[in-house]
Amino acid sequence: MKYGIGEFSRITSLSIKSLRLYHEKEILVPSEVDQFTGYRYYNEMNIEFAKTIKILKEYDFSLAEIKEIIDEFNDESEILEQLIKKKNEIEKKIARYKDISVSIDSIIKKEKENKMRIENEFEIEEKEIETMLIAAYRMKGKYSDVGKGFGVLAKNFGSEINGKAMCLYYDGEYKEDDADIETCFPVRKGKDVDGISVRGLKGGRCVSLMHKGPYELLGESYRKIFNYINARNYNTLIPSREVYIKGPGMIFKGNPNNYLTEIQIFIQR
Amino acid sequence: MKYGIGEFSRITSLSIKSLRLYHEKEILVPSEVDQFTGYRYYNEMNIEFAKTIKILKEYDFSLAEIKEIIDEFNDESEILEQLIKKKNEIEKKIARYKDISVSIDSIIKKEKENKMRIENEFEIEEKEIETMLIAAYRMKGKYSDVGKGFGVLAKNFGSEINGKAMCLYYDGEYKEDDADIETCFPVRKGKDVDGISVRGLKGGRCVSLMHKGPYELLGESYRKIFNYINARNYNTLIPSREVYIKGPGMIFKGNPNNYLTEIQIFIQR
DNA sequence: CTTGACTCTCCCCTTGGGACAGCCTTTATA
DNA sequence: TATAAAGGCTGTCCCAAGGGGAGAGTCAAG
């Protein structure tokens, strides 16, 4: 019995392309090649080899490895070593892919959260904020210096961070250069270290507005929120907060037009 | 500030080869290319892009995908879809690799078992065999027909099989054509179905010899074992057993020289 | 000016898939 | 019956995502 390449391909479920390649690499040589037409013809013995090759391919051996194996060995027990090596490689790949999966998943979750938050975007609302434990680093300086503060906090409490970065503003008014700012992160636990205070941050009732866009345009949102507060004659408390829901991302440096910042002005009840 | 390709490679941990490729594909174009020497020079902006590319590469995006993403988007939220798709791909890979891992593992375990068995190879020994539950299919025919019997058993009890295939020989002598053979598998549980008897197979004391090599040479091992038995004036019982420790393998059809068959002749106490 | 460190381009390798041109056989139609 | 179309077969070239290496040109320090 002899089979043409198409038929043999159907028998073995190896593509014609692959069969030609295996021939070229002398991994699976047809039993007969027509001298004039170049047509490949296969026989039963080829089928046996093809089965072995298919299984080794499923086990992720490269063609070079497969060639070596079928040229030199003909029993499972003789390639135990190779099987063990291959298994280790595969375990490594699994571990790597699992890492990636977890990592992508966390980004996806974060973005979905943000999406939900955007739903009620641009609506001023009043709400209750719970008391939370924070690690805080107080500083005087320019608004643009807060990055440094977050750096200090992240270095000391990286693994305990439990929420979005925030700033507390202790000035009643806008100050260009010498603002009194406290950068902070919600944390799970921890205690004071040099310059960083870990404490409960009292909650309360606040007026909140989600600001979407670059930090430079925050002024506009502040104007809106104060209009609302003044219209109702609320008495505001200090400090006010900015919660940085979304800034530069993990993948992209980020498009400032998508930054999300929640402004919280606390009021007396 | 501008960096040569080597320096930039060190900064970004991207290989020089990769950088040249990314340039060619217009994924990461150097800020400046010397018109005469062709030297590539990079700047800070390139570093930002390089970071994004690195992360996407870690997440297993292809260069084509990366190019599309960085050309069209600049925020995580915009590529949520791609991230989800990629995550699904990765989950599939994990599943596939896990399958492979399990499969290779079972071969490894089997081979290791066999290796241990070979340790005390070729030594005739006397031992006790426990009673075991078997599914058995009795037939009359040639020795070479037993494959059919095992096929029937495997089809009906595939998932319950609990040990190596065996044959029970009810003839006291060698019979060429019309041997009375019972093919059987140890099973976990099950009950009689057409032609197949499920029952306890009584154990007892037996003389055992491991035969290594093709089935055609079993005669030699039988000679050895009967010499041993006759020398001691043991009374043998019927049926005798052959346990097929190792035959054709999962990967290789198998080298008959490595086949392992244990002959068990039961004796009266 | 020399030397050693860089950098350039070009080619080979992996494991097939896709496209394309040319040859052969089989089948359907005029 | 002659012819044409369909489909199978062949080979060749391009592509992914870089690593390895050759051979030649370039830069900067001594």
Side-chain angles (χ1 to χ4, degrees), chain A residues 87-118:
Chain A
K87 209 212 143 198
N88 288 338
E89 284 174 25
I90 286 168
E91 293 293 339
K92 267 185 209 151
K93 282 188 190 175
I94 291 177
R96 182 180 152 239
Y97 281 124
K98 276 194 178 155
D99 282 354
I100 296 177
S101 174
V102 167
S103 186
I104 293 184
D105 225 34
S106 84
I107 293 184
I108 292 175
K109 209 158 68 189
K110 209 179 279 180
E111 289 305 326
K112 282 199 170 153
E113 253 174 49
N114 288 342
K115 266 216 173 115
M116 282 178 51
R117 246 181 268 254
I118 293 178

PDB file of all heavy atoms in Angstrom, chain A residues 87-118:
ATOM      1  N   LYS A  87       9.373  18.570  30.676  1.00  0.00           N
ATOM      2  CA  LYS A  87       8.328  18.862  31.657  1.00  0.00           C
ATOM      3  C   LYS A  87       8.694  20.096  32.479  1.00  0.00           C
ATOM      4  O   LYS A  87       7.847  20.939  32.759  1.00  0.00           O
ATOM      5  CB  LYS A  87       8.128  17.662  32.570  1.00  0.00           C
ATOM      6  CG  LYS A  87       6.707  17.593  33.087  1.00  0.00           C
ATOM      7  CD  LYS A  87       6.632  17.013  34.461  1.00  0.00           C
ATOM      8  CE  LYS A  87       5.564  17.711  35.261  1.00  0.00           C
ATOM      9  NZ  LYS A  87       5.753  17.462  36.687  1.00  0.00           N
ATOM     10  N   ASN A  88       9.953  20.201  32.840  1.00  0.00           N
ATOM     11  CA  ASN A  88      10.386  21.383  33.582  1.00  0.00           C
ATOM     12  C   ASN A  88      10.176  22.650  32.769  1.00  0.00           C
ATOM     13  O   ASN A  88       9.699  23.663  33.283  1.00  0.00           O
ATOM     14  CB  ASN A  88      11.858  21.254  33.973  1.00  0.00           C
ATOM     15  CG  ASN A  88      12.052  20.233  35.071  1.00  0.00           C
ATOM     16  OD1 ASN A  88      11.114  19.931  35.809  1.00  0.00           O
ATOM     17  ND2 ASN A  88      13.231  19.686  35.172  1.00  0.00           N
ATOM     18  N   GLU A  89      10.533  22.568  31.495  1.00  0.00           N
ATOM     19  CA  GLU A  89      10.324  23.740  30.638  1.00  0.00           C
ATOM     20  C   GLU A  89       8.848  24.142  30.660  1.00  0.00           C
ATOM     21  O   GLU A  89       8.514  25.322  30.753  1.00  0.00           O
ATOM     22  CB  GLU A  89      10.719  23.414  29.197  1.00  0.00           C
ATOM     23  CG  GLU A  89      12.219  23.374  28.960  1.00  0.00           C
ATOM     24  CD  GLU A  89      12.538  22.903  27.542  1.00  0.00           C
ATOM     25  OE1 GLU A  89      11.688  23.071  26.650  1.00  0.00           O
ATOM     26  OE2 GLU A  89      13.643  22.350  27.334  1.00  0.00           O
ATOM     27  N   ILE A  90       8.009  23.143  30.556  1.00  0.00           N
ATOM     28  CA  ILE A  90       6.581  23.429  30.491  1.00  0.00           C
ATOM     29  C   ILE A  90       6.080  24.010  31.803  1.00  0.00           C
ATOM     30  O   ILE A  90       5.284  24.949  31.819  1.00  0.00           O
ATOM     31  CB  ILE A  90       5.811  22.161  30.083  1.00  0.00           C
ATOM     32  CG1 ILE A  90       6.041  21.923  28.595  1.00  0.00           C
ATOM     33  CG2 ILE A  90       4.335  22.289  30.392  1.00  0.00           C
ATOM     34  CD1 ILE A  90       5.601  20.598  28.099  1.00  0.00           C
ATOM     35  N   GLU A  91       6.587  23.494  32.890  1.00  0.00           N
ATOM     36  CA  GLU A  91       6.183  24.045  34.184  1.00  0.00           C
ATOM     37  C   GLU A  91       6.572  25.515  34.271  1.00  0.00           C
ATOM     38  O   GLU A  91       5.828  26.348  34.777  1.00  0.00           O
ATOM     39  CB  GLU A  91       6.864  23.270  35.326  1.00  0.00           C
ATOM     40  CG  GLU A  91       6.416  21.821  35.469  1.00  0.00           C
ATOM     41  CD  GLU A  91       4.955  21.705  35.905  1.00  0.00           C
ATOM     42  OE1 GLU A  91       4.425  22.679  36.466  1.00  0.00           O
ATOM     43  OE2 GLU A  91       4.352  20.644  35.639  1.00  0.00           O
ATOM     44  N   LYS A  92       7.752  25.827  33.735  1.00  0.00           N
ATOM     45  CA  LYS A  92       8.186  27.226  33.758  1.00  0.00           C
ATOM     46  C   LYS A  92       7.241  28.089  32.947  1.00  0.00           C
ATOM     47  O   LYS A  92       6.883  29.195  33.351  1.00  0.00           O
ATOM     48  CB  LYS A  92       9.609  27.325  33.195  1.00  0.00           C
ATOM     49  CG  LYS A  92      10.669  27.256  34.268  1.00  0.00           C
ATOM     50  CD  LYS A  92      12.053  27.472  33.673  1.00  0.00           C
ATOM     51  CE  LYS A  92      13.082  26.733  34.513  1.00  0.00           C
ATOM     52  NZ  LYS A  92      14.263  26.307  33.741  1.00  0.00           N
ATOM     53  N   LYS A  93       6.859  27.585  31.781  1.00  0.00           N
ATOM     54  CA  LYS A  93       5.945  28.360  30.948  1.00  0.00           C
ATOM     55  C   LYS A  93       4.621  28.564  31.672  1.00  0.00           C
ATOM     56  O   LYS A  93       4.062  29.656  31.647  1.00  0.00           O
ATOM     57  CB  LYS A  93       5.699  27.634  29.625  1.00  0.00           C
ATOM     58  CG  LYS A  93       6.840  27.787  28.658  1.00  0.00           C
ATOM     59  CD  LYS A  93       6.487  27.223  27.289  1.00  0.00           C
ATOM     60  CE  LYS A  93       7.739  27.161  26.426  1.00  0.00           C
ATOM     61  NZ  LYS A  93       7.498  26.521  25.139  1.00  0.00           N
ATOM     62  N   ILE A  94       4.150  27.514  32.302  1.00  0.00           N
ATOM     63  CA  ILE A  94       2.890  27.653  33.027  1.00  0.00           C
ATOM     64  C   ILE A  94       3.021  28.740  34.080  1.00  0.00           C
ATOM     65  O   ILE A  94       2.171  29.619  34.198  1.00  0.00           O
ATOM     66  CB  ILE A  94       2.501  26.316  33.691  1.00  0.00           C
ATOM     67  CG1 ILE A  94       2.124  25.290  32.628  1.00  0.00           C
ATOM     68  CG2 ILE A  94       1.340  26.517  34.660  1.00  0.00           C
ATOM     69  CD1 ILE A  94       1.801  23.919  33.175  1.00  0.00           C
ATOM     70  N   ALA A  95       4.122  28.694  34.814  1.00  0.00           N
ATOM     71  CA  ALA A  95       4.320  29.686  35.874  1.00  0.00           C
ATOM     72  C   ALA A  95       4.328  31.086  35.280  1.00  0.00           C
ATOM     73  O   ALA A  95       3.680  32.001  35.785  1.00  0.00           O
ATOM     74  CB  ALA A  95       5.629  29.406  36.606  1.00  0.00           C
ATOM     75  N   ARG A  96       5.050  31.232  34.158  1.00  0.00           N
ATOM     76  CA  ARG A  96       5.145  32.554  33.545  1.00  0.00           C
ATOM     77  C   ARG A  96       3.761  33.030  33.105  1.00  0.00           C
ATOM     78  O   ARG A  96       3.365  34.162  33.397  1.00  0.00           O
ATOM     79  CB  ARG A  96       6.085  32.499  32.336  1.00  0.00           C
ATOM     80  CG  ARG A  96       6.233  33.861  31.716  1.00  0.00           C
ATOM     81  CD  ARG A  96       7.139  33.942  30.528  1.00  0.00           C
ATOM     82  NE  ARG A  96       6.670  35.046  29.710  1.00  0.00           N
ATOM     83  CZ  ARG A  96       6.282  34.933  28.456  1.00  0.00           C
ATOM     84  NH1 ARG A  96       6.320  33.768  27.856  1.00  0.00           N
ATOM     85  NH2 ARG A  96       5.846  35.986  27.792  1.00  0.00           N
ATOM     86  N   TYR A  97       3.040  32.167  32.426  1.00  0.00           N
ATOM     87  CA  TYR A  97       1.728  32.570  31.937  1.00  0.00           C
ATOM     88  C   TYR A  97       0.780  32.880  33.087  1.00  0.00           C
ATOM     89  O   TYR A  97      -0.066  33.761  32.989  1.00  0.00           O
ATOM     90  CB  TYR A  97       1.144  31.507  31.020  1.00  0.00           C
ATOM     91  CG  TYR A  97       1.713  31.556  29.620  1.00  0.00           C
ATOM     92  CD1 TYR A  97       2.310  30.448  29.045  1.00  0.00           C
ATOM     93  CD2 TYR A  97       1.661  32.730  28.882  1.00  0.00           C
ATOM     94  CE1 TYR A  97       2.834  30.500  27.758  1.00  0.00           C
ATOM     95  CE2 TYR A  97       2.185  32.799  27.610  1.00  0.00           C
ATOM     96  CZ  TYR A  97       2.770  31.682  27.045  1.00  0.00           C
ATOM     97  OH  TYR A  97       3.291  31.752  25.780  1.00  0.00           O
ATOM     98  N   LYS A  98       0.947  32.161  34.173  1.00  0.00           N
ATOM     99  CA  LYS A  98       0.092  32.462  35.318  1.00  0.00           C
ATOM    100  C   LYS A  98       0.369  33.863  35.847  1.00  0.00           C
ATOM    101  O   LYS A  98      -0.551  34.611  36.165  1.00  0.00           O
ATOM    102  CB  LYS A  98       0.318  31.425  36.416  1.00  0.00           C
ATOM    103  CG  LYS A  98      -0.506  30.186  36.211  1.00  0.00           C
ATOM    104  CD  LYS A  98      -0.520  29.333  37.466  1.00  0.00           C
ATOM    105  CE  LYS A  98      -1.400  28.118  37.253  1.00  0.00           C
ATOM    106  NZ  LYS A  98      -1.013  27.005  38.148  1.00  0.00           N
ATOM    107  N   ASP A  99       1.654  34.203  35.915  1.00  0.00           N
ATOM    108  CA  ASP A  99       2.009  35.559  36.333  1.00  0.00           C
ATOM    109  C   ASP A  99       1.351  36.585  35.435  1.00  0.00           C
ATOM    110  O   ASP A  99       0.745  37.547  35.891  1.00  0.00           O
ATOM    111  CB  ASP A  99       3.533  35.744  36.278  1.00  0.00           C
ATOM    112  CG  ASP A  99       4.221  35.111  37.475  1.00  0.00           C
ATOM    113  OD1 ASP A  99       3.498  34.636  38.374  1.00  0.00           O
ATOM    114  OD2 ASP A  99       5.450  35.089  37.498  1.00  0.00           O
ATOM    115  N   ILE A 100       1.513  36.371  34.131  1.00  0.00           N
ATOM    116  CA  ILE A 100       0.948  37.317  33.180  1.00  0.00           C
ATOM    117  C   ILE A 100      -0.552  37.428  33.396  1.00  0.00           C
ATOM    118  O   ILE A 100      -1.112  38.522  33.445  1.00  0.00           O
ATOM    119  CB  ILE A 100       1.214  36.850  31.736  1.00  0.00           C
ATOM    120  CG1 ILE A 100       2.707  36.851  31.452  1.00  0.00           C
ATOM    121  CG2 ILE A 100       0.487  37.740  30.751  1.00  0.00           C
ATOM    122  CD1 ILE A 100       3.055  36.333  30.066  1.00  0.00           C
ATOM    123  N   SER A 101      -1.181  36.285  33.529  1.00  0.00           N
ATOM    124  CA  SER A 101      -2.626  36.267  33.682  1.00  0.00           C
ATOM    125  C   SER A 101      -3.056  37.111  34.880  1.00  0.00           C
ATOM    126  O   SER A 101      -3.962  37.935  34.796  1.00  0.00           O
ATOM    127  CB  SER A 101      -3.097  34.820  33.830  1.00  0.00           C
ATOM    128  OG  SER A 101      -4.457  34.790  34.103  1.00  0.00           O
ATOM    129  N   VAL A 102      -2.387  36.893  35.992  1.00  0.00           N
ATOM    130  CA  VAL A 102      -2.716  37.644  37.201  1.00  0.00           C
ATOM    131  C   VAL A 102      -2.522  39.135  36.964  1.00  0.00           C
ATOM    132  O   VAL A 102      -3.361  39.960  37.321  1.00  0.00           O
ATOM    133  CB  VAL A 102      -1.822  37.178  38.371  1.00  0.00           C
ATOM    134  CG1 VAL A 102      -1.922  38.144  39.531  1.00  0.00           C
ATOM    135  CG2 VAL A 102      -2.212  35.772  38.793  1.00  0.00           C
ATOM    136  N   SER A 103      -1.416  39.444  36.321  1.00  0.00           N
ATOM    137  CA  SER A 103      -1.065  40.839  36.094  1.00  0.00           C
ATOM    138  C   SER A 103      -2.093  41.522  35.192  1.00  0.00           C
ATOM    139  O   SER A 103      -2.574  42.623  35.491  1.00  0.00           O
ATOM    140  CB  SER A 103       0.328  40.880  35.480  1.00  0.00           C
ATOM    141  OG  SER A 103       0.773  42.182  35.363  1.00  0.00           O
ATOM    142  N   ILE A 104      -2.419  40.870  34.098  1.00  0.00           N
ATOM    143  CA  ILE A 104      -3.417  41.456  33.190  1.00  0.00           C
ATOM    144  C   ILE A 104      -4.754  41.584  33.912  1.00  0.00           C
ATOM    145  O   ILE A 104      -5.446  42.595  33.803  1.00  0.00           O
ATOM    146  CB  ILE A 104      -3.594  40.587  31.925  1.00  0.00           C
ATOM    147  CG1 ILE A 104      -2.321  40.613  31.091  1.00  0.00           C
ATOM    148  CG2 ILE A 104      -4.768  41.096  31.097  1.00  0.00           C
ATOM    149  CD1 ILE A 104      -2.444  39.857  29.778  1.00  0.00           C
ATOM    150  N   ASP A 105      -5.056  40.566  34.670  1.00  0.00           N
ATOM    151  CA  ASP A 105      -6.321  40.574  35.376  1.00  0.00           C
ATOM    152  C   ASP A 105      -6.452  41.776  36.303  1.00  0.00           C
ATOM    153  O   ASP A 105      -7.510  42.381  36.403  1.00  0.00           O
ATOM    154  CB  ASP A 105      -6.443  39.288  36.195  1.00  0.00           C
ATOM    155  CG  ASP A 105      -7.819  38.684  36.047  1.00  0.00           C
ATOM    156  OD1 ASP A 105      -8.385  38.815  34.959  1.00  0.00           O
ATOM    157  OD2 ASP A 105      -8.322  38.109  37.026  1.00  0.00           O
ATOM    158  N   SER A 106      -5.356  42.118  36.956  1.00  0.00           N
ATOM    159  CA  SER A 106      -5.442  43.234  37.900  1.00  0.00           C
ATOM    160  C   SER A 106      -5.682  44.533  37.139  1.00  0.00           C
ATOM    161  O   SER A 106      -6.410  45.409  37.589  1.00  0.00           O
ATOM    162  CB  SER A 106      -4.190  43.307  38.760  1.00  0.00           C
ATOM    163  OG  SER A 106      -3.176  44.011  38.107  1.00  0.00           O
ATOM    164  N   ILE A 107      -5.071  44.645  35.964  1.00  0.00           N
ATOM    165  CA  ILE A 107      -5.315  45.851  35.163  1.00  0.00           C
ATOM    166  C   ILE A 107      -6.773  45.894  34.717  1.00  0.00           C
ATOM    167  O   ILE A 107      -7.437  46.916  34.799  1.00  0.00           O
ATOM    168  CB  ILE A 107      -4.395  45.878  33.930  1.00  0.00           C
ATOM    169  CG1 ILE A 107      -2.944  46.050  34.375  1.00  0.00           C
ATOM    170  CG2 ILE A 107      -4.779  47.030  33.005  1.00  0.00           C
ATOM    171  CD1 ILE A 107      -1.980  46.182  33.222  1.00  0.00           C
ATOM    172  N   ILE A 108      -7.237  44.751  34.246  1.00  0.00           N
ATOM    173  CA  ILE A 108      -8.628  44.704  33.781  1.00  0.00           C
ATOM    174  C   ILE A 108      -9.577  45.104  34.901  1.00  0.00           C
ATOM    175  O   ILE A 108     -10.478  45.924  34.717  1.00  0.00           O
ATOM    176  CB  ILE A 108      -8.973  43.286  33.270  1.00  0.00           C
ATOM    177  CG1 ILE A 108      -8.201  42.992  31.983  1.00  0.00           C
ATOM    178  CG2 ILE A 108     -10.466  43.162  33.021  1.00  0.00           C
ATOM    179  CD1 ILE A 108      -8.374  41.581  31.466  1.00  0.00           C
ATOM    180  N   LYS A 109      -9.328  44.541  36.069  1.00  0.00           N
ATOM    181  CA  LYS A 109     -10.224  44.837  37.188  1.00  0.00           C
ATOM    182  C   LYS A 109     -10.196  46.322  37.512  1.00  0.00           C
ATOM    183  O   LYS A 109     -11.241  46.956  37.698  1.00  0.00           O
ATOM    184  CB  LYS A 109      -9.806  44.003  38.412  1.00  0.00           C
ATOM    185  CG  LYS A 109     -10.973  43.686  39.310  1.00  0.00           C
ATOM    186  CD  LYS A 109     -10.709  42.473  40.192  1.00  0.00           C
ATOM    187  CE  LYS A 109      -9.648  42.752  41.218  1.00  0.00           C
ATOM    188  NZ  LYS A 109      -9.252  41.504  41.929  1.00  0.00           N
ATOM    189  N   LYS A 110      -8.992  46.847  37.549  1.00  0.00           N
ATOM    190  CA  LYS A 110      -8.842  48.269  37.865  1.00  0.00           C
ATOM    191  C   LYS A 110      -9.624  49.118  36.863  1.00  0.00           C
ATOM    192  O   LYS A 110     -10.346  50.034  37.231  1.00  0.00           O
ATOM    193  CB  LYS A 110      -7.358  48.630  37.840  1.00  0.00           C
ATOM    194  CG  LYS A 110      -7.001  49.756  38.764  1.00  0.00           C
ATOM    195  CD  LYS A 110      -5.513  50.048  38.726  1.00  0.00           C
ATOM    196  CE  LYS A 110      -4.715  49.090  39.590  1.00  0.00           C
ATOM    197  NZ  LYS A 110      -3.254  49.362  39.548  1.00  0.00           N
ATOM    198  N   GLU A 111      -9.460  48.799  35.600  1.00  0.00           N
ATOM    199  CA  GLU A 111     -10.118  49.605  34.576  1.00  0.00           C
ATOM    200  C   GLU A 111     -11.638  49.476  34.652  1.00  0.00           C
ATOM    201  O   GLU A 111     -12.360  50.440  34.432  1.00  0.00           O
ATOM    202  CB  GLU A 111      -9.641  49.184  33.181  1.00  0.00           C
ATOM    203  CG  GLU A 111      -8.205  49.578  32.885  1.00  0.00           C
ATOM    204  CD  GLU A 111      -7.957  51.069  33.081  1.00  0.00           C
ATOM    205  OE1 GLU A 111      -8.874  51.866  32.804  1.00  0.00           O
ATOM    206  OE2 GLU A 111      -6.857  51.439  33.533  1.00  0.00           O
ATOM    207  N   LYS A 112     -12.085  48.266  34.964  1.00  0.00           N
ATOM    208  CA  LYS A 112     -13.533  48.088  35.071  1.00  0.00           C
ATOM    209  C   LYS A 112     -14.085  48.902  36.226  1.00  0.00           C
ATOM    210  O   LYS A 112     -15.144  49.529  36.110  1.00  0.00           O
ATOM    211  CB  LYS A 112     -13.850  46.602  35.255  1.00  0.00           C
ATOM    212  CG  LYS A 112     -13.762  45.845  33.954  1.00  0.00           C
ATOM    213  CD  LYS A 112     -14.494  44.519  34.011  1.00  0.00           C
ATOM    214  CE  LYS A 112     -14.575  43.912  32.623  1.00  0.00           C
ATOM    215  NZ  LYS A 112     -14.679  42.434  32.676  1.00  0.00           N
ATOM    216  N   GLU A 113     -13.357  48.890  37.315  1.00  0.00           N
ATOM    217  CA  GLU A 113     -13.740  49.728  38.458  1.00  0.00           C
ATOM    218  C   GLU A 113     -13.856  51.189  38.023  1.00  0.00           C
ATOM    219  O   GLU A 113     -14.838  51.854  38.294  1.00  0.00           O
ATOM    220  CB  GLU A 113     -12.656  49.649  39.538  1.00  0.00           C
ATOM    221  CG  GLU A 113     -13.042  48.850  40.754  1.00  0.00           C
ATOM    222  CD  GLU A 113     -11.842  48.734  41.669  1.00  0.00           C
ATOM    223  OE1 GLU A 113     -11.183  49.765  41.956  1.00  0.00           O
ATOM    224  OE2 GLU A 113     -11.538  47.592  42.084  1.00  0.00           O
ATOM    225  N   ASN A 114     -12.826  51.642  37.334  1.00  0.00           N
ATOM    226  CA  ASN A 114     -12.834  53.032  36.894  1.00  0.00           C
ATOM    227  C   ASN A 114     -14.031  53.306  35.993  1.00  0.00           C
ATOM    228  O   ASN A 114     -14.671  54.347  36.107  1.00  0.00           O
ATOM    229  CB  ASN A 114     -11.545  53.355  36.143  1.00  0.00           C
ATOM    230  CG  ASN A 114     -10.361  53.439  37.073  1.00  0.00           C
ATOM    231  OD1 ASN A 114     -10.533  53.588  38.291  1.00  0.00           O
ATOM    232  ND2 ASN A 114      -9.164  53.306  36.536  1.00  0.00           N
ATOM    233  N   LYS A 115     -14.317  52.370  35.119  1.00  0.00           N
ATOM    234  CA  LYS A 115     -15.444  52.545  34.213  1.00  0.00           C
ATOM    235  C   LYS A 115     -16.738  52.756  34.990  1.00  0.00           C
ATOM    236  O   LYS A 115     -17.538  53.619  34.672  1.00  0.00           O
ATOM    237  CB  LYS A 115     -15.587  51.321  33.315  1.00  0.00           C
ATOM    238  CG  LYS A 115     -14.868  51.522  32.022  1.00  0.00           C
ATOM    239  CD  LYS A 115     -15.519  50.923  30.824  1.00  0.00           C
ATOM    240  CE  LYS A 115     -14.740  51.392  29.610  1.00  0.00           C
ATOM    241  NZ  LYS A 115     -14.066  50.328  28.895  1.00  0.00           N
ATOM    242  N   MET A 116     -16.889  51.933  36.030  1.00  0.00           N
ATOM    243  CA  MET A 116     -18.100  52.064  36.820  1.00  0.00           C
ATOM    244  C   MET A 116     -18.166  53.425  37.489  1.00  0.00           C
ATOM    245  O   MET A 116     -19.207  54.055  37.565  1.00  0.00           O
ATOM    246  CB  MET A 116     -18.154  50.977  37.873  1.00  0.00           C
ATOM    247  CG  MET A 116     -18.580  49.632  37.292  1.00  0.00           C
ATOM    248  SD  MET A 116     -18.563  48.370  38.541  1.00  0.00           S
ATOM    249  CE  MET A 116     -19.525  49.163  39.841  1.00  0.00           C
ATOM    250  N   ARG A 117     -17.006  53.864  37.941  1.00  0.00           N
ATOM    251  CA  ARG A 117     -16.973  55.149  38.610  1.00  0.00           C
ATOM    252  C   ARG A 117     -17.352  56.276  37.663  1.00  0.00           C
ATOM    253  O   ARG A 117     -17.923  57.274  38.057  1.00  0.00           O
ATOM    254  CB  ARG A 117     -15.565  55.404  39.151  1.00  0.00           C
ATOM    255  CG  ARG A 117     -15.511  55.443  40.646  1.00  0.00           C
ATOM    256  CD  ARG A 117     -14.118  55.710  41.087  1.00  0.00           C
ATOM    257  NE  ARG A 117     -13.419  54.449  41.308  1.00  0.00           N
ATOM    258  CZ  ARG A 117     -13.155  53.990  42.523  1.00  0.00           C
ATOM    259  NH1 ARG A 117     -13.509  54.663  43.597  1.00  0.00           N
ATOM    260  NH2 ARG A 117     -12.521  52.858  42.677  1.00  0.00           N
ATOM    261  N   ILE A 118     -16.999  56.083  36.398  1.00  0.00           N
ATOM    262  CA  ILE A 118     -17.265  57.145  35.429  1.00  0.00           C
ATOM    263  C   ILE A 118     -18.767  57.270  35.160  1.00  0.00           C
ATOM    264  O   ILE A 118     -19.257  58.304  34.751  1.00  0.00           O
ATOM    265  CB  ILE A 118     -16.495  56.875  34.116  1.00  0.00           C
ATOM    266  CG1 ILE A 118     -15.001  57.016  34.392  1.00  0.00           C
ATOM    267  CG2 ILE A 118     -16.901  57.850  33.038  1.00  0.00           C
ATOM    268  CD1 ILE A 118     -14.134  56.723  33.202  1.00  0.00           C
TER     269      ILE A 118
END
